PDB file of all heavy atoms in Angstrom:
ATOM      1  N   TYR S 256       0.842  -1.186   0.000  1.00 93.00           N
ATOM      2  CA  TYR S 256       0.000   0.000   0.000  1.00 93.00           C
ATOM      3  C   TYR S 256       0.883   1.243   0.000  1.00 93.00           C
ATOM      4  O   TYR S 256       1.922   1.284   0.663  1.00 93.00           O
ATOM      5  CB  TYR S 256      -0.895   0.044   1.251  1.00 93.00           C
ATOM      6  CG  TYR S 256      -1.956  -1.015   1.290  1.00 93.00           C
ATOM      7  CD1 TYR S 256      -1.881  -2.066   2.203  1.00 93.00           C
ATOM      8  CD2 TYR S 256      -3.044  -0.966   0.423  1.00 93.00           C
ATOM      9  CE1 TYR S 256      -2.854  -3.048   2.244  1.00 93.00           C
ATOM     10  CE2 TYR S 256      -4.021  -1.942   0.453  1.00 93.00           C
ATOM     11  CZ  TYR S 256      -3.919  -2.977   1.368  1.00 93.00           C
ATOM     12  OH  TYR S 256      -4.886  -3.948   1.399  1.00 93.00           O
ATOM     13  N   TYR S 257       0.462   2.259  -0.747  1.00 96.00           N
ATOM     14  CA  TYR S 257       1.108   3.564  -0.723  1.00 96.00           C
ATOM     15  C   TYR S 257       0.077   4.610  -0.301  1.00 96.00           C
ATOM     16  O   TYR S 257      -1.048   4.605  -0.806  1.00 96.00           O
ATOM     17  CB  TYR S 257       1.674   3.929  -2.091  1.00 96.00           C
ATOM     18  CG  TYR S 257       2.871   3.104  -2.491  1.00 96.00           C
ATOM     19  CD1 TYR S 257       2.758   2.050  -3.391  1.00 96.00           C
ATOM     20  CD2 TYR S 257       4.138   3.367  -1.957  1.00 96.00           C
ATOM     21  CE1 TYR S 257       3.861   1.278  -3.751  1.00 96.00           C
ATOM     22  CE2 TYR S 257       5.244   2.603  -2.315  1.00 96.00           C
ATOM     23  CZ  TYR S 257       5.095   1.560  -3.209  1.00 96.00           C
ATOM     24  OH  TYR S 257       6.179   0.809  -3.549  1.00 96.00           O
ATOM     25  N   GLU S 258       0.467   5.470   0.610  1.00 97.00           N
ATOM     26  CA  GLU S 258      -0.447   6.484   1.127  1.00 97.00           C
ATOM     27  C   GLU S 258       0.186   7.865   1.006  1.00 97.00           C
ATOM     28  O   GLU S 258       1.297   8.095   1.485  1.00 97.00           O
ATOM     29  CB  GLU S 258      -0.797   6.193   2.586  1.00 97.00           C
ATOM     30  CG  GLU S 258      -1.883   7.091   3.147  1.00 97.00           C
ATOM     31  CD  GLU S 258      -2.387   6.626   4.494  1.00 97.00           C
ATOM     32  OE1 GLU S 258      -1.958   5.545   4.962  1.00 97.00           O
ATOM     33  OE2 GLU S 258      -3.210   7.348   5.095  1.00 97.00           O
ATOM     34  N   PHE S 259      -0.528   8.778   0.340  1.00 97.00           N
ATOM     35  CA  PHE S 259      -0.053  10.145   0.144  1.00 97.00           C
ATOM     36  C   PHE S 259      -0.427  11.003   1.346  1.00 97.00           C
ATOM     37  O   PHE S 259      -1.588  11.032   1.767  1.00 97.00           O
ATOM     38  CB  PHE S 259      -0.687  10.767  -1.110  1.00 97.00           C
ATOM     39  CG  PHE S 259      -0.140  10.242  -2.411  1.00 97.00           C
ATOM     40  CD1 PHE S 259      -0.567   9.029  -2.922  1.00 97.00           C
ATOM     41  CD2 PHE S 259       0.791  10.971  -3.131  1.00 97.00           C
ATOM     42  CE1 PHE S 259      -0.079   8.541  -4.123  1.00 97.00           C
ATOM     43  CE2 PHE S 259       1.292  10.499  -4.334  1.00 97.00           C
ATOM     44  CZ  PHE S 259       0.857   9.277  -4.828  1.00 97.00           C
ATOM     45  N   GLU S 260       0.555  11.704   1.865  1.00 97.00           N
ATOM     46  CA  GLU S 260       0.311  12.717   2.893  1.00 97.00           C
ATOM     47  C   GLU S 260       0.721  14.067   2.323  1.00 97.00           C
ATOM     48  O   GLU S 260       1.904  14.321   2.090  1.00 97.00           O
ATOM     49  CB  GLU S 260       1.112  12.422   4.162  1.00 97.00           C
ATOM     50  CG  GLU S 260       0.905  13.459   5.258  1.00 97.00           C
ATOM     51  CD  GLU S 260       1.749  13.188   6.491  1.00 97.00           C
ATOM     52  OE1 GLU S 260       1.664  12.063   7.020  1.00 97.00           O
ATOM     53  OE2 GLU S 260       2.502  14.089   6.904  1.00 97.00           O
ATOM     54  N   ARG S 261      -0.256  14.915   2.078  1.00 97.00           N
ATOM     55  CA  ARG S 261       0.017  16.234   1.509  1.00 97.00           C
ATOM     56  C   ARG S 261       0.383  17.201   2.630  1.00 97.00           C
ATOM     57  O   ARG S 261      -0.430  17.486   3.512  1.00 97.00           O
ATOM     58  CB  ARG S 261      -1.186  16.756   0.734  1.00 97.00           C
ATOM     59  CG  ARG S 261      -1.511  15.951  -0.524  1.00 97.00           C
ATOM     60  CD  ARG S 261      -2.773  16.459  -1.184  1.00 97.00           C
ATOM     61  NE  ARG S 261      -2.554  17.717  -1.874  1.00 97.00           N
ATOM     62  CZ  ARG S 261      -2.471  17.839  -3.198  1.00 97.00           C
ATOM     63  NH1 ARG S 261      -2.577  16.755  -3.967  1.00 97.00           N
ATOM     64  NH2 ARG S 261      -2.301  19.008  -3.761  1.00 97.00           N
ATOM     65  N   ILE S 262       1.611  17.703   2.600  1.00 97.00           N
ATOM     66  CA  ILE S 262       2.032  18.722   3.566  1.00 97.00           C
ATOM     67  C   ILE S 262       1.377  20.048   3.211  1.00 97.00           C
ATOM     68  O   ILE S 262       0.867  20.764   4.067  1.00 97.00           O
ATOM     69  CB  ILE S 262       3.565  18.872   3.579  1.00 97.00           C
ATOM     70  CG1 ILE S 262       4.242  17.493   3.723  1.00 97.00           C
ATOM     71  CG2 ILE S 262       3.995  19.815   4.694  1.00 97.00           C
ATOM     72  CD1 ILE S 262       3.835  16.721   4.944  1.00 97.00           C
ATOM     73  N   ASN S 263       1.402  20.354   1.928  1.00 97.00           N
ATOM     74  CA  ASN S 263       0.683  21.493   1.362  1.00 97.00           C
ATOM     75  C   ASN S 263       0.514  21.208  -0.127  1.00 97.00           C
ATOM     76  O   ASN S 263       0.770  20.090  -0.584  1.00 97.00           O
ATOM     77  CB  ASN S 263       1.412  22.832   1.630  1.00 97.00           C
ATOM     78  CG  ASN S 263       2.863  22.804   1.147  1.00 97.00           C
ATOM     79  OD1 ASN S 263       3.147  22.407   0.022  1.00 97.00           O
ATOM     80  ND2 ASN S 263       3.790  23.217   2.009  1.00 97.00           N
ATOM     81  N   GLU S 264       0.092  22.205  -0.892  1.00 97.00           N
ATOM     82  CA  GLU S 264      -0.201  21.964  -2.306  1.00 97.00           C
ATOM     83  C   GLU S 264       1.050  21.733  -3.151  1.00 97.00           C
ATOM     84  O   GLU S 264       0.963  21.318  -4.311  1.00 97.00           O
ATOM     85  CB  GLU S 264      -0.978  23.144  -2.889  1.00 97.00           C
ATOM     86  CG  GLU S 264      -0.214  24.456  -2.894  1.00 97.00           C
ATOM     87  CD  GLU S 264      -0.992  25.586  -3.527  1.00 97.00           C
ATOM     88  OE1 GLU S 264      -2.174  25.385  -3.842  1.00 97.00           O
ATOM     89  OE2 GLU S 264      -0.399  26.672  -3.714  1.00 97.00           O
ATOM     90  N   LYS S 265       2.246  21.915  -2.570  1.00 98.00           N
ATOM     91  CA  LYS S 265       3.492  21.740  -3.309  1.00 98.00           C
ATOM     92  C   LYS S 265       4.405  20.657  -2.737  1.00 98.00           C
ATOM     93  O   LYS S 265       5.479  20.415  -3.271  1.00 98.00           O
ATOM     94  CB  LYS S 265       4.268  23.070  -3.354  1.00 98.00           C
ATOM     95  CG  LYS S 265       3.514  24.205  -4.031  1.00 98.00           C
ATOM     96  CD  LYS S 265       4.338  25.487  -4.051  1.00 98.00           C
ATOM     97  CE  LYS S 265       3.579  26.609  -4.735  1.00 98.00           C
ATOM     98  NZ  LYS S 265       4.372  27.855  -4.806  1.00 98.00           N
ATOM     99  N   HIS S 266       3.959  20.013  -1.679  1.00 98.00           N
ATOM    100  CA  HIS S 266       4.859  19.135  -0.933  1.00 98.00           C
ATOM    101  C   HIS S 266       4.085  17.928  -0.408  1.00 98.00           C
ATOM    102  O   HIS S 266       3.037  18.087   0.238  1.00 98.00           O
ATOM    103  CB  HIS S 266       5.471  19.932   0.230  1.00 98.00           C
ATOM    104  CG  HIS S 266       6.496  19.183   1.017  1.00 98.00           C
ATOM    105  ND1 HIS S 266       6.948  19.633   2.251  1.00 98.00           N
ATOM    106  CD2 HIS S 266       7.167  18.018   0.779  1.00 98.00           C
ATOM    107  CE1 HIS S 266       7.851  18.784   2.722  1.00 98.00           C
ATOM    108  NE2 HIS S 266       7.991  17.794   1.852  1.00 98.00           N
ATOM    109  N   CYS S 267       4.582  16.725  -0.680  1.00 98.00           N
ATOM    110  CA  CYS S 267       3.929  15.521  -0.163  1.00 98.00           C
ATOM    111  C   CYS S 267       4.962  14.460   0.184  1.00 98.00           C
ATOM    112  O   CYS S 267       6.083  14.462  -0.324  1.00 98.00           O
ATOM    113  CB  CYS S 267       2.918  14.968  -1.167  1.00 98.00           C
ATOM    114  SG  CYS S 267       3.654  14.183  -2.618  1.00 98.00           S
ATOM    115  N   ILE S 268       4.558  13.550   1.063  1.00 98.00           N
ATOM    116  CA  ILE S 268       5.343  12.365   1.409  1.00 98.00           C
ATOM    117  C   ILE S 268       4.474  11.153   1.123  1.00 98.00           C
ATOM    118  O   ILE S 268       3.282  11.132   1.449  1.00 98.00           O
ATOM    119  CB  ILE S 268       5.776  12.383   2.880  1.00 98.00           C
ATOM    120  CG1 ILE S 268       6.656  13.599   3.171  1.00 98.00           C
ATOM    121  CG2 ILE S 268       6.539  11.100   3.232  1.00 98.00           C
ATOM    122  CD1 ILE S 268       7.041  13.754   4.635  1.00 98.00           C
ATOM    123  N   ILE S 269       5.050  10.127   0.500  1.00 97.00           N
ATOM    124  CA  ILE S 269       4.332   8.898   0.187  1.00 97.00           C
ATOM    125  C   ILE S 269       4.869   7.790   1.097  1.00 97.00           C
ATOM    126  O   ILE S 269       6.062   7.486   1.080  1.00 97.00           O
ATOM    127  CB  ILE S 269       4.511   8.505  -1.288  1.00 97.00           C
ATOM    128  CG1 ILE S 269       4.088   9.663  -2.200  1.00 97.00           C
ATOM    129  CG2 ILE S 269       3.700   7.253  -1.604  1.00 97.00           C
ATOM    130  CD1 ILE S 269       4.389   9.421  -3.663  1.00 97.00           C
ATOM    131  N   TYR S 270       3.975   7.213   1.892  1.00 97.00           N
ATOM    132  CA  TYR S 270       4.348   6.154   2.831  1.00 97.00           C
ATOM    133  C   TYR S 270       3.977   4.794   2.252  1.00 97.00           C
ATOM    134  O   TYR S 270       3.033   4.662   1.475  1.00 97.00           O
ATOM    135  CB  TYR S 270       3.626   6.352   4.166  1.00 97.00           C
ATOM    136  CG  TYR S 270       4.077   7.573   4.928  1.00 97.00           C
ATOM    137  CD1 TYR S 270       3.487   8.809   4.703  1.00 97.00           C
ATOM    138  CD2 TYR S 270       5.091   7.487   5.882  1.00 97.00           C
ATOM    139  CE1 TYR S 270       3.900   9.938   5.402  1.00 97.00           C
ATOM    140  CE2 TYR S 270       5.508   8.603   6.589  1.00 97.00           C
ATOM    141  CZ  TYR S 270       4.912   9.834   6.339  1.00 97.00           C
ATOM    142  OH  TYR S 270       5.321  10.949   7.033  1.00 97.00           O
ATOM    143  N   SER S 271       4.730   3.770   2.643  1.00 94.00           N
ATOM    144  CA  SER S 271       4.448   2.419   2.171  1.00 94.00           C
ATOM    145  C   SER S 271       4.239   1.474   3.345  1.00 94.00           C
ATOM    146  O   SER S 271       4.820   1.640   4.423  1.00 94.00           O
ATOM    147  CB  SER S 271       5.593   1.900   1.291  1.00 94.00           C
ATOM    148  OG  SER S 271       6.763   1.705   2.061  1.00 94.00           O
ATOM    149  N   THR S 272       3.375   0.484   3.127  1.00 92.00           N
ATOM    150  CA  THR S 272       3.117  -0.584   4.093  1.00 92.00           C
ATOM    151  C   THR S 272       2.947  -1.879   3.319  1.00 92.00           C
ATOM    152  O   THR S 272       2.268  -1.904   2.291  1.00 92.00           O
ATOM    153  CB  THR S 272       1.832  -0.308   4.900  1.00 92.00           C
ATOM    154  OG1 THR S 272       1.906   0.972   5.513  1.00 92.00           O
ATOM    155  CG2 THR S 272       1.644  -1.374   5.981  1.00 92.00           C
ATOM    156  N   GLU S 273       3.582  -2.968   3.800  1.00 88.00           N
ATOM    157  CA  GLU S 273       3.426  -4.274   3.176  1.00 88.00           C
ATOM    158  C   GLU S 273       2.687  -5.204   4.126  1.00 88.00           C
ATOM    159  O   GLU S 273       2.679  -4.998   5.331  1.00 88.00           O
ATOM    160  CB  GLU S 273       4.787  -4.881   2.829  1.00 88.00           C
ATOM    161  CG  GLU S 273       5.485  -4.203   1.671  1.00 88.00           C
ATOM    162  CD  GLU S 273       6.080  -2.870   2.040  1.00 88.00           C
ATOM    163  OE1 GLU S 273       6.658  -2.780   3.147  1.00 88.00           O
ATOM    164  OE2 GLU S 273       5.960  -1.917   1.264  1.00 88.00           O
ATOM    165  N   TRP S 274       2.036  -6.234   3.556  1.00 85.00           N
ATOM    166  CA  TRP S 274       1.285  -7.154   4.397  1.00 85.00           C
ATOM    167  C   TRP S 274       1.385  -8.574   3.871  1.00 85.00           C
ATOM    168  O   TRP S 274       1.692  -8.806   2.708  1.00 85.00           O
ATOM    169  CB  TRP S 274      -0.192  -6.749   4.468  1.00 85.00           C
ATOM    170  CG  TRP S 274      -0.899  -6.757   3.137  1.00 85.00           C
ATOM    171  CD1 TRP S 274      -1.018  -5.717   2.268  1.00 85.00           C
ATOM    172  CD2 TRP S 274      -1.571  -7.862   2.524  1.00 85.00           C
ATOM    173  NE1 TRP S 274      -1.726  -6.100   1.156  1.00 85.00           N
ATOM    174  CE2 TRP S 274      -2.086  -7.412   1.286  1.00 85.00           C
ATOM    175  CE3 TRP S 274      -1.791  -9.196   2.899  1.00 85.00           C
ATOM    176  CZ2 TRP S 274      -2.794  -8.241   0.426  1.00 85.00           C
ATOM    177  CZ3 TRP S 274      -2.502 -10.024   2.039  1.00 85.00           C
ATOM    178  CH2 TRP S 274      -3.000  -9.538   0.821  1.00 85.00           C
ATOM    179  N   ILE S 275       1.139  -9.541   4.773  1.00 84.00           N
ATOM    180  CA  ILE S 275       1.011 -10.944   4.392  1.00 84.00           C
ATOM    181  C   ILE S 275      -0.103 -11.557   5.230  1.00 84.00           C
ATOM    182  O   ILE S 275      -0.428 -11.085   6.321  1.00 84.00           O
ATOM    183  CB  ILE S 275       2.322 -11.736   4.621  1.00 84.00           C
ATOM    184  CG1 ILE S 275       2.721 -11.679   6.095  1.00 84.00           C
ATOM    185  CG2 ILE S 275       3.431 -11.244   3.740  1.00 84.00           C
ATOM    186  CD1 ILE S 275       3.884 -12.577   6.426  1.00 84.00           C
ATOM    187  N   GLN S 276      -0.701 -12.632   4.721  1.00 84.00           N
ATOM    188  CA  GLN S 276      -1.732 -13.339   5.466  1.00 84.00           C
ATOM    189  C   GLN S 276      -1.126 -14.023   6.697  1.00 84.00           C
ATOM    190  O   GLN S 276      -0.016 -14.562   6.639  1.00 84.00           O
ATOM    191  CB  GLN S 276      -2.389 -14.398   4.575  1.00 84.00           C
ATOM    192  CG  GLN S 276      -3.252 -13.817   3.467  1.00 84.00           C
ATOM    193  CD  GLN S 276      -4.504 -13.155   3.998  1.00 84.00           C
ATOM    194  OE1 GLN S 276      -5.003 -13.516   5.060  1.00 84.00           O
ATOM    195  NE2 GLN S 276      -5.015 -12.182   3.273  1.00 84.00           N
ATOM    196  N   LYS S 277      -1.871 -14.001   7.788  1.00 85.00           N
ATOM    197  CA  LYS S 277      -1.409 -14.665   9.011  1.00 85.00           C
ATOM    198  C   LYS S 277      -1.136 -16.145   8.758  1.00 85.00           C
ATOM    199  O   LYS S 277      -0.162 -16.713   9.269  1.00 85.00           O
ATOM    200  CB  LYS S 277      -2.454 -14.496  10.115  1.00 85.00           C
ATOM    201  CG  LYS S 277      -2.054 -15.137  11.448  1.00 85.00           C
ATOM    202  CD  LYS S 277      -3.142 -14.969  12.496  1.00 85.00           C
ATOM    203  CE  LYS S 277      -2.749 -15.654  13.801  1.00 85.00           C
ATOM    204  NZ  LYS S 277      -3.829 -15.526  14.824  1.00 85.00           N
ATOM    205  N   ASP S 278      -1.980 -16.782   7.951  1.00 88.00           N
ATOM    206  CA  ASP S 278      -1.822 -18.206   7.671  1.00 88.00           C
ATOM    207  C   ASP S 278      -0.570 -18.510   6.847  1.00 88.00           C
ATOM    208  O   ASP S 278      -0.150 -19.667   6.750  1.00 88.00           O
ATOM    209  CB  ASP S 278      -3.052 -18.745   6.930  1.00 88.00           C
ATOM    210  CG  ASP S 278      -4.307 -18.727   7.792  1.00 88.00           C
ATOM    211  OD1 ASP S 278      -4.158 -18.626   9.025  1.00 88.00           O
ATOM    212  OD2 ASP S 278      -5.417 -18.798   7.236  1.00 88.00           O
ATOM    213  N   SER S 279       0.006 -17.478   6.225  1.00 84.00           N
ATOM    214  CA  SER S 279       1.174 -17.685   5.371  1.00 84.00           C
ATOM    215  C   SER S 279       2.493 -17.497   6.107  1.00 84.00           C
ATOM    216  O   SER S 279       3.548 -17.824   5.564  1.00 84.00           O
ATOM    217  CB  SER S 279       1.134 -16.706   4.181  1.00 84.00           C
ATOM    218  OG  SER S 279      -0.020 -16.897   3.413  1.00 84.00           O
ATOM    219  N   ILE S 280       2.432 -16.973   7.333  1.00 82.00           N
ATOM    220  CA  ILE S 280       3.659 -16.577   8.004  1.00 82.00           C
ATOM    221  C   ILE S 280       4.551 -17.786   8.308  1.00 82.00           C
ATOM    222  O   ILE S 280       5.777 -17.722   8.162  1.00 82.00           O
ATOM    223  CB  ILE S 280       3.359 -15.785   9.295  1.00 82.00           C
ATOM    224  CG1 ILE S 280       4.612 -15.049   9.784  1.00 82.00           C
ATOM    225  CG2 ILE S 280       2.769 -16.667  10.364  1.00 82.00           C
ATOM    226  CD1 ILE S 280       4.965 -13.852   8.954  1.00 82.00           C
ATOM    227  N   ASN S 281       3.945 -18.920   8.676  1.00 84.00           N
ATOM    228  CA  ASN S 281       4.768 -20.093   8.991  1.00 84.00           C
ATOM    229  C   ASN S 281       5.448 -20.647   7.746  1.00 84.00           C
ATOM    230  O   ASN S 281       6.614 -21.063   7.803  1.00 84.00           O
ATOM    231  CB  ASN S 281       3.901 -21.166   9.647  1.00 84.00           C
ATOM    232  CG  ASN S 281       3.478 -20.792  11.055  1.00 84.00           C
ATOM    233  OD1 ASN S 281       4.178 -20.063  11.749  1.00 84.00           O
ATOM    234  ND2 ASN S 281       2.317 -21.273  11.480  1.00 84.00           N
ATOM    235  N   SER S 282       4.726 -20.656   6.619  1.00 83.00           N
ATOM    236  CA  SER S 282       5.331 -21.116   5.368  1.00 83.00           C
ATOM    237  C   SER S 282       6.478 -20.202   4.964  1.00 83.00           C
ATOM    238  O   SER S 282       7.521 -20.662   4.481  1.00 83.00           O
ATOM    239  CB  SER S 282       4.282 -21.154   4.257  1.00 83.00           C
ATOM    240  OG  SER S 282       3.260 -22.070   4.570  1.00 83.00           O
ATOM    241  N   LEU S 283       6.279 -18.912   5.172  1.00 76.00           N
ATOM    242  CA  LEU S 283       7.324 -17.939   4.854  1.00 76.00           C
ATOM    243  C   LEU S 283       8.572 -18.200   5.683  1.00 76.00           C
ATOM    244  O   LEU S 283       9.689 -18.237   5.159  1.00 76.00           O
ATOM    245  CB  LEU S 283       6.783 -16.529   5.107  1.00 76.00           C
ATOM    246  CG  LEU S 283       7.704 -15.336   4.822  1.00 76.00           C
ATOM    247  CD1 LEU S 283       6.859 -14.134   4.410  1.00 76.00           C
ATOM    248  CD2 LEU S 283       8.525 -14.955   6.058  1.00 76.00           C
ATOM    249  N   ILE S 284       8.379 -18.414   6.974  1.00 81.00           N
ATOM    250  CA  ILE S 284       9.512 -18.631   7.865  1.00 81.00           C
ATOM    251  C   ILE S 284      10.233 -19.937   7.531  1.00 81.00           C
ATOM    252  O   ILE S 284      11.469 -19.987   7.462  1.00 81.00           O
ATOM    253  CB  ILE S 284       9.041 -18.612   9.329  1.00 81.00           C
ATOM    254  CG1 ILE S 284       8.631 -17.186   9.720  1.00 81.00           C
ATOM    255  CG2 ILE S 284      10.130 -19.135  10.261  1.00 81.00           C
ATOM    256  CD1 ILE S 284       8.006 -17.083  11.087  1.00 81.00           C
ATOM    257  N   GLU S 285       9.461 -21.000   7.297  1.00 84.00           N
ATOM    258  CA  GLU S 285      10.073 -22.296   7.000  1.00 84.00           C
ATOM    259  C   GLU S 285      10.851 -22.254   5.689  1.00 84.00           C
ATOM    260  O   GLU S 285      11.905 -22.882   5.566  1.00 84.00           O
ATOM    261  CB  GLU S 285       9.000 -23.381   6.951  1.00 84.00           C
ATOM    262  CG  GLU S 285       8.394 -23.725   8.308  1.00 84.00           C
ATOM    263  CD  GLU S 285       9.433 -24.177   9.312  1.00 84.00           C
ATOM    264  OE1 GLU S 285      10.329 -24.970   8.926  1.00 84.00           O
ATOM    265  OE2 GLU S 285       9.369 -23.736  10.481  1.00 84.00           O
TER     266      GLU S 285
END
């Protein structure tokens, strides 16, 4: 996911977040 945070009309920061399914975490680790 990318989320835009507008500081003002000329300035923004784009944040990122990644996710995985809870059921997939063990397979990922193994």
Side-chain angles (χ1 to χ4, degrees):
Y256 292 110
Y257 290 102
E258 188 169 355
F259 286 80
E260 179 182 306
R261 294 176 74 105
I262 310 303
N263 54 49
E264 64 178 7
K265 300 180 180 182
H266 184 194
C267 72
I268 299 175
I269 305 173
Y270 292 88
S271 68
T272 305
E273 288 75 41
W274 61 269
I275 59 172
Q276 290 291 333
K277 181 181 178 182
D278 293 342
S279 300
I280 196 74
N281 289 331
S282 298
L283 181 150
I284 290 173
E285 290 302 317

